[in-house]
Amino acid sequence: VLGAYASRGAPTKPGADVTVLYDGGARYRSYADAHRTTADARVRLPLPLAFRVELEGALQTGAQSYVPAASAPTAQSVRAWLAAGRLTRAVGRGTATAGVDLLSGDDSPADTRYSAFGTMFGTNHPFYGLLDVIGDPAATTKERGLRDVFLSAAHPVTTWLAPRAELHRFTLATGAERRLGGEADLIAPVRLAAGTMLELGYALFRAGPAAEPLGLGTDRDYRRWGYVQLR
């Protein structure tokens, strides 16, 4: 793995980040000898009326082999992309955010072109919901890609309680049936003392008709998860 990263500007001021990452000789799922280069750029801009916008785009290119269990490998070219946008506004002491993450997919991942964007070494947990129904998006969707439209809000109620909530609507990027499901998350961090936090969390996922073929649940069924964590 080789990488380079450059950043300019502070998080709340105009700025940009650029990342280039090369990973060679990788093997994952049914794919081997993957040599991929991923170039990513992110721009942050403050807007009037206490708004901020963040835009991101990435391209992934390279080559790999599809290795089926009972036949000869197929050489593939890798051509995939990611696009994302977030619009945030300060609301009193809190913030509200609307955003979308778009990851390209591949409805025929065994042919000579592979177009599902791989997040590779990504920490996917903060982006696609607390329940982790969506882990590595390419693996979770069986290469079909992901669209995540979301809303989030955080607001301190008191000096010791600052809850935040998220809503996600997941759809697939390819295929006839794309409705994957929706998730609601609620996190309530409670400050007990200096440096000590009690965090309560709850997540609810409702599966859509596209979830069952991927092993994520039967249409209209629910998955739930809650936790208590002392930090």
Side-chain angles (χ1 to χ4, degrees), residues 7-137:
S7 180
R8 181 178 179 86
T12 58
K13 296 181 179 181
D17 307 310
V18 176
T19 304
V20 178
L21 183 67
Y22 168 79
D23 64 316
R27 182 180 181 90
Y28 61 99
R29 300 188 299 283
S30 298
Y31 305 92
D33 198 28
H35 295 263
R36 298 174 293 185
T37 299
T38 305
D40 178 276
R42 179 183 301 140
V43 177
R44 304 179 303 277
L45 294 171
L47 300 176
L49 303 175
F51 282 98
R52 296 197 316 272
V53 65
E54 181 178 303
L55 302 174
E56 182 179 8
L59 292 175
Q60 197 166 70
T61 63
Q64 64 185 22
S65 294
Y66 171 66
V67 186
S71 57
T74 300
Q76 295 182 316
S77 62
V78 176
R79 300 289 186 274
W81 57 268
L82 172 149
R86 284 161 173 73
L87 182 66
T88 300
R89 188 181 192 278
V91 181
R93 293 180 298 158
T95 59
T97 300
V100 60
D101 289 327
L102 310 174
L103 289 79
S104 64
D106 194 331
D107 55 5
S108 54
D111 62 10
T112 59
R113 183 184 176 99
Y114 182 83
S115 56
F117 188 87
T119 54
M120 298 170 296
F121 316 105
T123 302
N124 298 302
H125 177 75
F127 296 99
Y128 310 119
L130 187 66
L131 193 54
D132 282 338
V133 172
I134 309 296
D136 172 2

Side-chain angles (χ1 to χ4, degrees), residues 107 144 171-180 209-210 213:
D107 55 5
R144 290 180 59 188
T171 56
L172 298 175
T174 62
E177 179 55 72
R178 303 187 181 187
R179 293 171 293 168
L180 196 54

